[in-house]
Amino acid sequence: MELNSASKEQLAQWEQDLAAEYQAIKAKQLNLDLTRGKPSSEQLSLSDAMDGILNGDYKTADGTDTRNYGGLDGIAEIQAIGAEILTAPVENVLAGGNSSLTLMHQAMSVAYFFGLNGADSAWSKESTVKFLCPVPGYDRHFAVCEHLGIEMVTVPMTANGPDMDVVEKLVAEDHAIKGMWCVPKYSNPTGVVYSDETVQRIAALGKVAAANFRVFWDNAYGVHDLSAEPVALASIFDACKAAGTEDSVLQFASTSKITFAGAGVAFMAASSANLAGFKKSLGFMTIGPDKINQLRHAKFFAAPGSLKAHMEKHAAIIKPRFASVLSHLEEAFGNNDLGQWESADGGYFISFDTRPGLAKEVVKLAGEAGVKLTPAGATFPYGNDPQDANIRIAPTVPTVAQVDEAMKVFVTCVKLASVRQALAA
Amino acid sequence: MELNSASKEQLAQWEQDLAAEYQAIKAKQLNLDLTRGKPSSEQLSLSDAMDGILNGDYKTADGTDTRNYGGLDGIAEIQAIGAEILTAPVENVLAGGNSSLTLMHQAMSVAYFFGLNGADSAWSKESTVKFLCPVPGYDRHFAVCEHLGIEMVTVPMTANGPDMDVVEKLVAEDHAIKGMWCVPKYSNPTGVVYSDETVQRIAALGKVAAANFRVFWDNAYGVHDLSAEPVALASIFDACKAAGTEDSVLQFASTSKITFAGAGVAFMAASSANLAGFKKSLGFMTIGPDKINQLRHAKFFAAPGSLKAHMEKHAAIIKPRFASVLSHLEEAFGNNDLGQWESADGGYFISFDTRPGLAKEVVKLAGEAGVKLTPAGATFPYGNDPQDANIRIAPTVPTVAQVDEAMKVFVTCVKLASVRQALAA
């Protein structure tokens, strides 16, 4: 389908064929869902052995009774796992509750209201507070900024991460910019892994940025590889150390997509100064995290190599779903300009760009044909995709057969919307 | 010992005897601790069967997979337990993570920064924000106010709860007062249970208070009775309903001192409007609580009456410790004016008042003799007890023999400090 060179008659014919195809799909009354970036039951079952794993022994190696109060940093055994996931020194890792989103909201609230480096460093002391948001990105990140009234400035994503020329210029020129959201590996939703150069340039931002500038480095998919030989993400911690900017980055991760989505363990890695500043406020918010759940996780991943082996089991489940999405896209749009996408080697999403102005229409068409997609715009701050092009495809929850069925519908909807747009032009 | 009528010689003799007694204690090099309001290992072991209780079945009765994301309110089974503890309708109960302190900090942060009833209701919009703090009270409550920069106004505790004449006057006259901390049953630390009249008068505050006034009703010891026939606490929820002030109270509780101190389930009960206002912000902070831990709790307390039976086991462990404290106090100070205390029928603390100006000295003397006590002043905002009289005794962690030993020391220290004060007068 070459829309640009097609005649009106050809377009009309395509429209008629596709509309008929679409009606046939509608008649099937499908009920499929590609919206949720969450693990499937099959994936969750990989960790079922965690319940009962303690065998009545609630003590850590150092004798801490995990049943009782205390311990803001989490138990040593789980800090070590966090250090492995975040490639950061164990003494710079804090292990929290079940949600990295909570840790990120807490950290941003502390930075905003209380200051990570004393009250004078609180962002709220300044009249305008801005945050860089690479787009497309993760809606819940943007929502945290929105909740706190932080103005979001979008930056385009490239195949190597955020467009660093744009980022560097903005950060150096405008000290109202207090940080940037990053999902550095298998970025949500583009699946991009930040290049070594991008990691280094982000680490260097602390040299030109505002003093209280903090990158929120959400390494949510750090060990979520699909390929047997995954691209390695450079260590931002090491890069910051080399650049002398340790205080400019806060790292986050969790086991939500490793063990249990709702009952995992969240981690934060940061410089000693940042951890101290954060814990000063955290101590008002909690007496400590659920150390029993941390101990369960530590026992579950006690054997060397067990985390990697576990993630390979996830990959085996997810891979055919990703393969189905990609093969449908390739087949339908590989040799035309109706859509663009990145071929992700991990994470939970495939990001698809329609021709400008069609994302909402495609999501609507698919919805009416029984295939739920994430609302168009969700990957942009305030739900506003200025190009109305980006759609996030989340194929982990449905079965492979369902993904296949849903993608047939998706492809038809993209084609139909594109042809209609061309006809109307 | 009647200090007021004793001669100088008599006082000097007592001082000499007590100093010798104190030196003999010091020689024993004791290492005892009455500081921690936390459960003992023996108590925690009552809930050890929770690990493994799921038997591979992670689903709730309504089919929710507790392993996955979602559900801000918590699972229905655990909401029902929260409703039982807080004597509130189940639809008004939210079940959270492992810490009621976190829920309280979140609720106060929402009230302060974001508003429980829209942005205009945020306390931070006003130049001065005050909160009533019955004293002696719980240091972590006061710390939440301190963290948010809320000015604390103390109100004296009576044997029926906060002095309501004072409270009513302040609340009606000063609309900068946005709420009050309450521990209505077995109050921390006095052990007082609010009388029915007090509960009703607190429920009525909403009629004269500022529009965004919220009582923080921390019912931390709602089912923590020691007596077989405990005093019942009137339902604040019902009282508010009767008074038409449902929005003026937020209730909190947790299973921290029922199951596991660090890995329990926290609850909030509130009017529909307050819950909606709270969840509007909570949804930015988390995707949902640890539902697996909630399900474990629900299964552990599935049998009718099992919660009560479980609390009786706690009582059997705690009772001899409370009895030891009380008998030492009675024996030493029952017929003189060296100290005053309430005889608590539940909770975790016994609150003792020395003669004015002696609490710090007693804590110091005891510490030097190997008995750690909660720092004097900890039960007052900013750690400042203007009378320097209150000491919180927390006897749950040590063995009965250790409590007995520690109380002998305590009594000696109170007497010695009192006599020395009288001598110096």
Side-chain angles (χ1 to χ4, degrees):
Chain A
M1 272 177 125
E2 282 295 344
L3 298 188
N4 297 335
S5 54
S7 65
K8 274 271 171 194
E9 291 68 32
Q10 174 67 75
L11 288 172
Q13 182 60 50
W14 280 338
E15 199 280 336
Q16 205 178 321
D17 296 348
L18 287 162
E21 207 176 298
Y22 179 73
Q23 286 308 324
I25 290 166
K26 256 182 137 171
K28 291 194 211 171
Q29 299 195 299
L30 299 172
N31 184 12
L32 300 166
D33 192 327
L34 291 179
T35 65
R36 304 301 316 271
K38 62 183 195 181
S40 62
S41 293
E42 194 184 351
Q43 288 177 264
L44 294 165
S45 294
L46 297 173
S47 305
D48 278 358
M50 276 213 294
D51 189 52
I53 201 171
L54 300 180
N55 265 320
D57 181 4
Y58 287 87
K59 292 233 165 105
T60 64
D62 70 5
T64 302
D65 187 339
T66 57
R67 301 170 304 180
N68 226 323
Y69 288 118
L72 267 191
D73 291 297
I75 64 171
E77 286 93 329
I78 200 76
Q79 287 178 288
I81 292 174
E84 184 184 343
I85 295 172
L86 286 168
T87 60
V90 67
E91 63 269 25
N92 292 96
V93 174
L94 177 145
N98 75 322
S99 165
S100 56
L101 178 65
T102 299
L103 269 183
M104 291 186 279
H105 192 287
Q106 286 172 331
M108 197 167 277
S109 296
V110 171
Y112 188 83
F113 292 119
F114 307 105
L116 280 163
N117 186 24
D120 287 343
S121 71
W123 300 341
S124 60
K125 301 257 171 199
E126 301 175 39
S127 55
T128 308
V129 180
K130 299 179 189 171
F131 221 73
L132 296 186
C133 298
V135 288
Y138 179 34
D139 55 353
R140 286 189 179 268
H141 286 166
F142 303 152
V144 173
C145 284
E146 198 176 345
H147 190 224
L148 295 171
I150 294 171
E151 190 180 311
M152 290 179 267
V153 178
T154 59
V155 173
M157 278 291 283
T158 75
N160 295 311
D163 186 327
M164 289 307 298
D165 292 340
V166 176
V167 169
E168 284 165 352
K169 194 166 178 299
L170 286 168
V171 163
E173 286 176 3
D174 185 355
H175 279 200
I177 294 171
K178 297 307 180 188
M180 170 164 71
W181 281 112
C182 293
V183 182
K185 194 169 168 188
Y186 309 132
S187 194
N188 177 351
T190 63
V192 157
V193 180
Y194 289 14
S195 69
D196 292 358
E197 191 199 329
T198 299
V199 173
Q200 270 171 28
R201 289 172 75 178
I202 290 174
L205 291 175
K207 292 193 274 193
V208 295
N212 46 10
F213 178 87
R214 295 290 184 279
V215 172
F216 277 57
W217 188 263
D218 182 6
N219 201 353
Y221 310 104
V223 294
H224 303 60
D225 307 306
L226 293 179
S227 153
E229 292 188 0
V231 180
L233 174 70
S235 164
I236 187 77
F237 200 92
D238 292 348
C240 284
K241 215 167 167 189
T245 57
E246 291 99 323
D247 293 343
S248 70
V249 176
L250 306 176
Q251 296 188 70
F252 301 92
S254 83
T255 70
S256 287
K257 291 187 181 90
I258 297 175
T259 56
F260 295 135
V265 176
F267 301 103
M268 173 171 168
S271 70
S272 319
N274 279 333
L275 278 187
F278 179 59
K279 285 196 284 184
K280 216 170 153 180
S281 278
L282 188 67
F284 290 98
M285 303 175 186
T286 180
I287 303 180
D290 179 344
K291 297 187 295 299
I292 296 180
N293 200 37
Q294 295 186 345
L295 186 60
R296 281 194 195 95
H297 277 74
K299 294 209 175 178
F300 193 65
F301 292 118
S306 58
L307 177 60
K308 189 165 185 291
H310 185 79
M311 294 315 295
E312 283 165 6
K313 292 181 201 161
H314 279 289
I317 296 169
I318 296 176
K319 253 160 121 168
R321 290 164 170 82
F322 267 60
S324 171
V325 172
L326 292 170
S327 80
H328 277 287
L329 296 181
E330 186 58 38
E331 193 191 322
F333 312 118
N335 56 5
N336 61 45
D337 67 348
L338 269 61
Q340 293 184 308
W341 64 96
E342 299 285 340
S343 168
D345 267 344
Y348 269 62
F349 305 104
I350 289 157
S351 173
F352 182 84
D353 283 329
T354 64
R355 289 181 152 209
L358 290 182
K360 275 191 192 132
E361 177 63 15
V362 168
V363 170
K364 183 167 163 269
L365 284 170
E368 287 168 4
V371 175
K372 244 174 115 175
L373 293 168
T374 304
T379 53
F380 283 74
Y382 315 106
N384 175 30
D385 174 2
Q387 293 282 315
D388 185 26
N390 189 249
I391 297 173
R392 186 185 83 166
I393 300 171
T396 54
V397 175
T399 63
V400 179
Q402 287 170 332
V403 173
D404 182 62
E405 186 83 46
M407 286 307 297
K408 283 182 198 159
V409 179
F410 178 78
V411 157
T412 303
C413 294
V414 172
K415 286 181 183 170
L416 181 57
S418 305
V419 168
R420 283 179 175 166
Q421 188 190 50
L423 259 177
Chain B
M1 271 176 126
E2 282 296 343
L3 298 188
N4 297 335
S5 54
S7 64
K8 276 270 171 197
E9 291 68 31
Q10 175 66 77
L11 288 172
Q13 182 60 49
W14 280 337
E15 199 280 336
Q16 206 178 321
D17 296 349
L18 286 162
E21 207 175 298
Y22 179 72
Q23 286 309 322
I25 290 166
K26 255 184 138 172
K28 291 195 210 169
Q29 300 196 299
L30 298 172
N31 184 13
L32 300 166
D33 192 326
L34 291 179
T35 64
R36 302 302 314 273
K38 61 183 196 181
S40 63
S41 292
E42 196 184 349
Q43 289 177 262
L44 294 166
S45 295
L46 296 174
S47 305
D48 278 359
M50 277 214 293
D51 189 53
I53 200 171
L54 299 181
N55 265 321
D57 182 4
Y58 287 87
K59 292 231 164 106
T60 64
D62 70 4
T64 302
D65 187 338
T66 57
R67 302 171 303 179
N68 226 324
Y69 288 118
L72 267 191
D73 291 297
I75 64 172
E77 287 93 327
I78 200 76
Q79 285 178 289
I81 292 174
E84 184 184 343
I85 295 173
L86 286 168
T87 60
V90 66
E91 62 269 25
N92 292 97
V93 173
L94 177 145
N98 75 322
S99 164
S100 55
L101 178 65
T102 299
L103 270 182
M104 292 186 278
H105 192 287
Q106 285 172 331
M108 195 166 278
S109 297
V110 171
Y112 188 84
F113 293 118
F114 308 105
L116 279 164
N117 186 23
D120 286 344
S121 71
W123 299 342
S124 61
K125 301 254 172 202
E126 299 175 40
S127 56
T128 309
V129 181
K130 299 179 189 170
F131 221 72
L132 296 186
C133 298
V135 288
Y138 178 34
D139 55 352
R140 284 188 180 269
H141 286 166
F142 304 152
V144 173
C145 284
E146 198 176 346
H147 189 223
L148 295 171
I150 294 171
E151 191 181 310
M152 289 178 268
V153 178
T154 59
V155 173
M157 278 292 283
T158 76
N160 295 311
D163 186 327
M164 289 307 297
D165 293 340
V166 177
V167 168
E168 284 163 353
K169 192 165 180 297
L170 285 168
V171 163
E173 286 176 2
D174 185 355
H175 279 200
I177 295 171
K178 297 306 179 190
M180 172 164 67
W181 281 112
C182 292
V183 183
K185 194 168 168 189
Y186 310 131
S187 194
N188 176 353
T190 64
V192 157
V193 180
Y194 289 14
S195 70
D196 292 359
E197 192 201 329
T198 299
V199 172
Q200 271 170 29
R201 290 172 75 179
I202 290 173
L205 291 175
K207 291 194 275 193
V208 295
N212 46 12
F213 177 88
R214 295 290 184 279
V215 173
F216 277 57
W217 188 262
D218 182 7
N219 202 352
Y221 310 105
V223 293
H224 303 61
D225 308 305
L226 293 179
S227 154
E229 292 187 0
V231 180
L233 174 71
S235 164
I236 187 78
F237 200 92
D238 292 348
C240 284
K241 217 169 165 186
T245 57
E246 291 98 321
D247 293 343
S248 70
V249 176
L250 306 176
Q251 297 188 70
F252 302 92
S254 83
T255 71
S256 289
K257 291 185 180 93
I258 297 175
T259 56
F260 295 134
V265 176
F267 301 104
M268 173 170 169
S271 71
S272 319
N274 278 333
L275 278 188
F278 179 59
K279 285 196 283 183
K280 216 169 152 181
S281 278
L282 188 65
F284 290 99
M285 302 175 186
T286 179
I287 303 181
D290 179 344
K291 297 186 297 297
I292 296 180
N293 199 37
Q294 295 186 346
L295 186 61
R296 280 194 196 96
H297 278 74
K299 295 210 173 180
F300 193 65
F301 292 119
S306 58
L307 177 61
K308 190 164 184 292
H310 185 79
M311 294 315 295
E312 283 166 5
K313 292 182 202 163
H314 278 289
I317 296 169
I318 297 176
K319 254 161 122 168
R321 290 165 170 81
F322 266 60
S324 170
V325 172
L326 292 170
S327 81
H328 277 286
L329 295 180
E330 186 57 39
E331 193 192 321
F333 311 118
N335 56 5
N336 61 42
D337 67 349
L338 269 60
Q340 294 185 305
W341 64 97
E342 299 285 339
S343 169
D345 268 344
Y348 269 63
F349 305 104
I350 289 156
S351 173
F352 182 85
D353 282 329
T354 64
R355 291 181 147 208
L358 290 183
K360 275 193 191 130
E361 177 63 14
V362 168
V363 171
K364 184 168 162 264
L365 284 170
E368 287 168 5
V371 174
K372 244 173 117 173
L373 292 169
T374 304
T379 53
F380 283 73
Y382 315 106
N384 175 30
D385 174 2
Q387 293 283 315
D388 185 26
N390 188 251
I391 297 174
R392 187 184 84 167
I393 300 170
T396 53
V397 176
T399 64
V400 180
Q402 286 171 333
V403 173
D404 182 62
E405 185 84 47
M407 284 308 297
K408 284 184 197 159
V409 179
F410 178 77
V411 157
T412 302
C413 293
V414 172
K415 288 181 181 168
L416 182 57
S418 304
V419 168
R420 283 180 176 165
Q421 187 189 50
L423 257 178

